[in-house]
Amino acid sequence: MNTLAVIGLGNIAKRHRQNLKTLYPQANIIALSASGRVANQPIEFADLVLSNINELIDYKPELVIVASPASLHEIHATTLMTHNIPVLIEKPLAAEPESAERILTLAQSHNSLVMVGYCLRYLSSAIVIKQLLLEEIIGKVYNCSAVVGQYLPDWRPNKHYSESVSAQKSLGGGALLELSHELDYLHWLLGPLKLNYAQLRTTNELTLEVEEIADLILTSQQGTVCYIHMDFIQKQAQRECTFIGSKGRLHWDLVANTIRHYSSDGTQVLYSQSEWNKNQMYLNMVTEFVSHIQHKQHTNTSLIDAHQTIRLIAKIKQQAEWGVTQ
C-alpha cells in the first residue's frame, strides 16, 4: 500500500487517517475535503490535502475511505468505483434508499471492491456473541432488546451540536441513521428484520429537525421479536443488548465489552475485556478490507446488508408515529 486516501475532514476521518498511517507508515496519506473547501489549517496525519475528487483520482489511490456526510456518499463512491478504486464507505451507506440502491447496483455491475464500515462487527465481544448464538447456547432466541443512547451535545465538544451532521436532515442526521449500528448488528446476528411498529420523537431539550428518539419493534425471519431503542438524550452513554432464549439469557454490554449468561444453573461471565482498545475495531476493519483487495475478493456482504438497513430506515420513517416529548 503506497497511496491511500480519506474523504472528509471530521473526527472519524481523522481517526481513519491516523490508523492508515499506523498500519502503513510508508504510505502517502491523502486527505480530501468533502465540501470542496480548502482547509485553512494543517490536517493531521495527511501528507497531502486536496479539494477536488478528480485530483485524487489522478494519484491512483489503492484504497479510499469515504467519511463524508451520508448525503455525499453516493457522489464520492460512484466516482471512485467508476475508476476501479476500492472503497470503504463509512456507515450509513447513504442518506436515502434511492441513493443506496444506485451505489449497490453500480458496485455489482462493475464488480467493485466495496465495504461499508459498521465497525461494531469488529468489536471483540461482538465476535464472541455471534459464535454463542450460532452454538445456540440459549437455545431458540425468542426476544432481544437493544438499547443505545448518548447525549448529542457531548459527541463533538469542539462543535455546537446543532451544527453537526447528526443534527441536520440534509446531511443524513437523526438517531436512525447515526445509530444504525444496532440495525446492522442485529441483521448480522439474526438475519433480515421486518418492521412491526415504530415511534419517532423529538424533544424540547434539543429541538432538532430530525428524530432524537426512536423506539422500534421488529421481527426476524425465525420469529425473534426485537425491541430497539435509540436516542440522543441520555446523559451517560449506554449500548447493550439482551437475548432471551429457550435455555437462558445473554446480556451483552458493548460499552463494558462484556457478555453474561443467565440460566437455571446461575450466572456466568462468558466474556470480559473492558480494557480492549475500541480503536482496534477500526484497525481490524481496514485490515480485513485490505486483505480482500490484495486477494481480489469481491465480497459485497456488508454492502448488501447496509443497503437493506437503509431500506428499513426509510420504511420506519414512512410508517412511524411521530411525536414531541415535552
Side-chain angles (χ1 to χ4, degrees):
M1 288 285 165
N2 298 310
T3 303
L4 309 166
V6 179
I7 300 178
L9 301 179
N11 290 335
I12 188 63
K14 176 183 175 183
R15 179 191 291 274
H16 283 305
R17 290 195 307 272
Q18 183 174 10
N19 285 344
L20 290 176
K21 185 60 75 173
T22 298
L23 291 169
Y24 308 101
Q26 303 306 316
N28 290 316
I29 309 299
I30 300 174
L32 176 68
S33 167
S35 65
R37 294 192 300 268
V38 178
N40 56 10
Q41 58 187 12
I43 302 300
E44 291 184 272
F45 312 109
D47 299 299
L48 179 65
V49 181
L50 303 175
S51 59
N52 186 299
I53 194 168
N54 292 319
E55 292 181 279
L56 175 60
I57 299 299
D58 291 340
Y59 280 90
K60 295 181 173 56
E62 296 153 88
L63 162 65
V64 177
I65 299 176
V66 175
S68 52
S71 57
L72 299 177
H73 284 183
E74 180 185 359
I75 188 169
H76 290 143
T78 297
T79 303
L80 297 166
M81 285 190 290
T82 54
H83 286 85
N84 298 313
I85 296 172
V87 187
L88 195 163
I89 305 171
E90 255 299 326
K91 69 84 195 167
L93 175 58
E96 301 293 339
E98 297 82 7
S99 183
E101 180 73 34
R102 288 190 292 268
I103 294 173
L104 176 62
T105 300
L106 183 64
Q108 292 176 331
S109 65
H110 276 63
N111 204 24
S112 301
L113 279 159
V114 182
M115 183 177 189
V116 181
Y118 277 105
C119 64
L120 288 183
R121 294 191 182 201
Y122 298 87
L123 179 64
S124 59
S125 56
I127 297 166
V128 175
I129 201 81
K130 185 172 180 65
Q131 186 60 37
L132 291 172
L133 291 173
L134 287 172
E135 293 171 357
E136 299 185 342
I137 189 172
I138 58 170
K140 177 178 173 59
V141 181
Y142 296 136
N143 290 79
C144 78
S145 175
V147 179
V148 58
Q150 186 177 2
Y151 193 46
L152 184 61
D154 292 340
W155 284 25
R156 303 172 182 91
N158 59 337
K159 176 185 292 188
H160 193 272
Y161 74 88
S162 64
E163 298 175 355
S164 69
V165 168
S166 307
Q168 299 182 56
K169 183 178 181 179
S170 62
L171 297 180
L176 286 168
L177 285 168
E178 283 291 86
L179 300 174
S180 59
H181 285 286
E182 271 55 36
L183 296 172
D184 176 75
Y185 78 63
L186 286 178
H187 185 145
W188 180 57
L189 295 172
L190 301 175
L193 301 171
K194 175 186 175 182
L195 176 65
N196 300 115
Y197 173 78
Q199 184 181 81
L200 305 178
R201 288 177 283 166
T202 56
T203 70
N204 289 331
E205 182 178 358
L206 298 181
T207 61
L208 301 180
E209 63 176 358
V210 294
E211 73 282 353
E212 301 164 28
I213 304 172
D215 291 282
L216 318 171
I217 298 177
L218 307 104
T219 308
S220 76
Q221 292 178 345
Q222 287 71 41
T224 303
V225 176
C226 303
Y227 164 67
I228 304 176
H229 171 85
M230 308 169 170
D231 72 62
F232 283 168
I233 51 86
Q234 288 196 63
K235 305 308 183 288
Q236 184 170 343
Q238 178 188 23
R239 184 164 243 154
E240 55 191 59
C241 186
T242 299
F243 298 91
I244 298 173
S246 57
K247 297 179 182 179
R249 182 173 84 247
L250 289 171
H251 180 260
W252 176 28
D253 189 324
L254 288 78
V255 176
N257 204 26
T258 60
I259 302 170
R260 284 181 168 80
H261 179 219
Y262 300 86
S263 70
S264 57
D265 295 327
T267 304
Q268 183 181 9
V269 177
L270 298 183
Y271 186 84
S272 180
Q273 194 64 263
S274 59
E275 299 303 315
W276 196 73
N277 183 356
K278 72 175 185 178
N279 188 56
Q280 192 64 44
M281 296 185 297
Y282 297 92
L283 291 169
N284 291 349
M285 182 171 65
V286 171
T287 300
E288 180 178 295
F289 189 48
V290 169
S291 177
H292 288 318
I293 294 170
Q294 292 174 339
H295 295 93
K296 294 182 171 56
Q297 297 172 329
H298 291 72
T299 174
N300 281 329
T301 303
S302 70
L303 176 60
I304 293 169
D305 288 353
H307 169 251
Q308 290 298 316
T309 295
I310 297 302
R311 289 185 62 187
L312 177 58
I313 289 173
K315 183 174 291 187
I316 291 168
K317 290 182 177 180
Q318 182 182 36
Q319 298 183 11
E321 294 184 12
W322 282 80
V324 178
T325 299
Q326 301 296 326

